[in-house]
């Protein structure tokens, strides 16, 4: 098993990413995270979600669906930090690849990687105590009809928590903000405000919303992380993505972009 947690003093990269707001994440090998990242720092976002979702209150062995898990960093974290049984579901990353990754992390007994399309999930009603989704729900969850198809997989009273890239406030009209025009991607129209998410989930009738809020200064963490990935990523495609995020976030300075956290309980 790979040693993912380091004893202090950490090496340069892990030290550079040690963050007082994210003590659990800071104990993980930063090289491992950089090499498997697919966007904003997933463990930081999950650590922000954890208290709102009440991850600490789930009993050991509770069943959690990590939807859009990517390279399963968050799945490993959920298993190691909270002793949960995690189904690591993703569309773009093959389960064989994630199976190797979770075995190396020493949690093959607690994380099951599966290939899954969010609109066609191969699980029965009431299979999970919780659903977690980090930087993925915006790809499939903005349809008015989607949430009830997912929450039917929760046990009654089960919880769902997502963190998504977000807008501080909704944008009127059809043009991006002027200062973001040089960096805008049409995919950003799937970003919404916490107020939008609160209404979106509440009127679905599928959940009682407990939290829908904005991460104070989340953009600063996103920028710091992107700067590190732009320098340190050994994958040229991911390094290029990180450079684009750096340019976007420096242009924005937190005016429009950041993260929303949304938590609900199945009614
Ligand atoms: C930006 S990556 C984030 C991955 C991971 N959660 C993380 O934070 O490192 C978005 C993930 O969403 C997944 N995804 C996008 N659309 C999906 C869909 N329709 N069904 C299942 N997963 C989807 C992709 O496979 C991808 O791994």
């Amino acid at each position: 098993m790979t040693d993912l947690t380091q004893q202090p003093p950490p090496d340069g990269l892990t030290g550079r990413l040690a963050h007082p707001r994210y003590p659990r994440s800071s104990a993980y090998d930063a090289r491992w995270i950089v090499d498997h990242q697919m966007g904003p720092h997933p463990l930081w976002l999950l650590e922000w979600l954890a208290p709102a979702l009440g991850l600490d209150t789930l009993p050991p062995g509770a069943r959690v669906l990590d939807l859009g898990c990517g390279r399963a960093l968050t799945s490993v974290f959920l298993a190691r930090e909270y002793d949960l049984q995690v189904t690591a579901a993703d569309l773009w990353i093959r389960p064989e690849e994630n199976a190797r990754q979770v075995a190396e992390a020493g949690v093959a007994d607690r994380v099951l990687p599966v290939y899954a399309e969010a609109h066609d999930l191969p699980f029965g009603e009431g299979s999970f105590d919780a659903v977690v989704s980090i930087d993925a729900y915006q790809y499939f969850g903005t349809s008015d009809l989607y949430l009830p198809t997912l929450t039917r997989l929760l046990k009654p009273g089960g919880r769902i928590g997502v963190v998504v890239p977000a807008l501080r406030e909704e944008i009127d009209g059809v043009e991006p903000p002027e200062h973001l025009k040089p960096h805008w991607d049409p995919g950003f129209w799937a970003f919404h405000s916490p107020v939008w998410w609160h209404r979106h989930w509440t009127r679905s009738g599928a959940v009682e919303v407990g939290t829908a809020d904005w991460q104070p200064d989340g953009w600063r963490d996103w920028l710091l992380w992107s700067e590190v990935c732009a320098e340190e990523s050994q994958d040229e495609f991911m390094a290029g993505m990180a450079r684009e995020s750096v340019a976007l976030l420096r242009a924005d300075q937190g005016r429009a972009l950041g993260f929303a956290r949304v938590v609900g309980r199945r009614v």
Side-chain angles (χ1 to χ4, degrees):
M1 162 186 162
T2 311
D3 182 15
L4 299 174
T5 54
Q6 300 197 340
Q7 298 306 312
D11 69 20
L13 185 56
T14 300
R16 188 172 170 197
L17 288 168
H19 197 308
R21 258 207 304 273
Y22 312 114
R24 291 188 189 223
S25 308
S26 298
Y28 282 70
D29 177 10
R31 170 54 58 195
W32 175 71
I33 306 171
V34 168
D35 287 348
H36 294 89
Q37 59 89 21
M38 296 175 70
H41 196 307
L43 303 190
W44 288 355
L45 297 181
L46 179 55
E47 202 165 344
W48 178 48
L49 177 66
L53 187 57
L55 281 178
D56 266 329
T57 66
L58 287 171
R63 305 186 68 85
V64 176
L65 173 63
D66 185 358
L67 183 56
C69 67
R71 298 189 189 280
L73 294 168
T74 47
S75 310
V76 168
F77 190 86
L78 287 163
R80 288 175 65 112
E81 299 297 321
Y82 302 100
D83 201 11
L84 301 168
Q85 281 294 335
V86 185
T87 301
D90 200 72
L91 184 63
W92 302 343
I93 306 299
R94 296 194 355 250
E96 299 82 1
E97 203 177 313
N98 278 341
R100 275 196 301 279
Q101 145 88 341
V102 302
E104 282 171 18
V107 288
D109 57 333
R110 279 169 284 160
V111 179
L112 177 66
V114 298
Y115 170 80
E117 209 293 323
H119 300 89
D120 189 20
L121 293 170
F123 312 111
E125 178 119 5
S127 299
F128 298 101
D129 298 286
V131 174
V132 167
S133 184
I134 301 297
D135 185 25
Y137 196 80
Q138 72 275 14
Y139 290 108
F140 44 79
T142 57
S143 154
D144 289 338
L145 305 179
Y146 182 71
L147 185 61
T149 71
L150 179 58
T151 52
R152 72 174 186 81
L153 305 182
L154 284 171
K155 296 175 184 165
R159 315 159 198 180
I160 174 168
V162 309
V163 178
V164 284
L167 295 170
R168 201 182 273 278
E169 288 172 4
E170 290 299 299
I171 295 170
D172 287 333
V174 296
E175 296 288 328
E178 205 56 40
H179 71 284
L180 291 179
K181 276 188 178 167
H183 308 280
W184 194 259
D185 178 298
F188 297 169
W189 290 116
F191 297 174
H192 291 285
S193 66
V195 171
W196 186 94
W197 281 108
H198 192 291
R199 186 185 68 144
H200 184 55
W201 278 23
T202 300
R203 69 183 187 177
S204 77
V207 293
E208 188 182 317
V209 176
T211 303
D213 62 359
W214 177 256
Q215 187 177 37
D217 278 340
W219 74 275
R220 291 185 193 279
D221 296 343
W222 190 357
L223 176 56
L224 166 67
W225 169 246
S226 302
E227 287 168 344
V228 170
C229 289
E231 283 172 35
E232 294 286 342
S233 184
Q234 290 161 2
D235 177 320
E236 190 37 46
F237 178 77
M238 293 314 300
M241 296 285 285
R243 284 194 293 273
E244 286 178 20
S245 297
V246 168
L248 173 75
L249 295 163
R250 284 188 184 154
D252 188 48
Q253 293 291 312
R255 279 180 277 176
L257 298 167
F259 296 103
R261 146 181 92 168
V262 196
V263 174
R265 187 176 285 272
R266 181 178 174 178
V267 293

